[in-house]
Amino acid sequence: MAVMPVAPVHLILGDDEFLTERARLSIQSAAAQDSDTALEVKRLKASEVSEGEIAEATSPSLFGDNRVIVVSDVERAGKEVTKILLEACVNPAPGMTMVIVYTVSAKTLKAKKKAPEIVSKLRKIGEVHEAFSLYTNELLPWATREFASHGVRPTPDVVQAVLDGVGSDLRELASAISQLVFDTNGNVTREAVHNYYVGVAEVANW
């Protein structure tokens, strides 16, 4: 089966640090697999760079190198930097993957009469990765999907037991789910969850 080439433009939209990082690493990994040569990753903060630096980073490479340009803090970028970024995204240089990180909460974005220009334009031309912080009622479906990504489908009461033990931090949840699947060889039961947390507590109190 042919591997789909990675899209040249990506928008990571949201305010959860873990989900943002996961999306970024996933894009970088896909771009690396899609590349015949070593992949160069350049990370910039839109709030700290000059127009010249952004223009230079996003200009075509003389050697046709494969590059991933990650630009964060885009919500704080000035008008000129935003304009250069949009131009680079509309017509990305060969071998270049643009990753635009726009940090905003779902509530703030919803409250705006219309989405910021760069967000609305990139939604049309790029691949969007939502990384919004989850509400409490979204945690159980998220944790269930996380288990499914490991090929495991525990019952809802088992997933809830994990949530009760870990809390709402997604990084800690992802780590606990991965460890549980590994420790139980995929047979995640309430007893396994209980034993896991007893073990964690013993190690913590040792």
Side-chain angles (χ1 to χ4, degrees):
M1 193 171 73
V3 177
M4 286 288 288
V6 66
V9 179
H10 299 262
L11 170 65
I12 302 177
L13 185 66
D15 57 342
D16 186 275
E17 196 178 306
F18 172 69
L19 294 179
T20 297
E21 182 186 329
R22 177 179 271 190
R24 176 180 63 78
L25 292 174
S26 172
I27 297 163
Q28 288 175 202
S29 174
Q33 288 174 11
D34 205 27
S35 173
D36 300 328
T37 57
L39 188 74
E40 179 194 348
V41 179
K42 191 171 184 69
R43 297 181 66 180
L44 301 165
K45 278 194 171 186
S47 58
E48 295 176 3
V49 295
S50 67
E51 294 136 46
E53 285 171 309
I54 283 283
E56 184 185 344
T58 56
S59 61
S61 164
L62 292 172
F63 309 105
D65 299 334
N66 286 304
R67 295 173 290 158
V68 174
I69 311 296
V70 181
V71 188
S72 59
D73 260 11
V74 174
E75 70 284 355
R76 295 165 63 195
K79 193 173 279 188
E80 282 306 312
V81 167
T82 300
K83 184 183 172 190
I84 295 166
L85 277 177
L86 269 173
E87 286 169 0
C89 289
V90 168
N91 189 23
M96 187 167 74
T97 303
M98 292 290 299
V99 181
I100 305 299
V101 182
Y102 196 103
T103 304
V104 64
S105 70
K107 191 176 179 181
T108 300
L109 193 61
K110 212 171 182 178
K112 293 179 184 291
K113 285 187 178 173
K114 65 175 187 175
E117 181 191 22
I118 194 162
V119 170
S120 55
K121 285 194 174 175
L122 291 185
R123 273 177 167 160
K124 291 173 187 170
I125 64 171
E127 189 174 319
V128 181
H129 308 259
E130 290 197 350
F132 295 111
S133 296
L134 300 184
Y135 292 107
T136 305
N137 64 344
E138 296 173 312
L139 288 171
L140 193 126
W142 184 87
T144 302
R145 288 194 300 275
E146 191 69 15
F147 271 114
S149 72
H150 293 283
V152 177
R153 299 186 183 279
T155 54
D157 61 320
V158 171
V159 180
Q160 188 59 55
V162 175
L163 291 174
D164 292 343
V166 180
S168 60
D169 185 283
L170 297 188
R171 190 183 301 275
E172 289 180 10
L173 270 172
S175 175
I177 288 168
S178 174
Q179 191 64 46
L180 273 164
V181 171
F182 178 80
D183 287 349
T184 63
N185 205 19
N187 184 29
V188 184
T189 61
R190 282 184 69 99
E191 187 183 7
V193 173
H194 173 73
N195 290 341
Y196 173 78
Y197 288 108
V198 168
V200 168
E202 284 173 356
V203 170
N205 295 324
W206 186 69

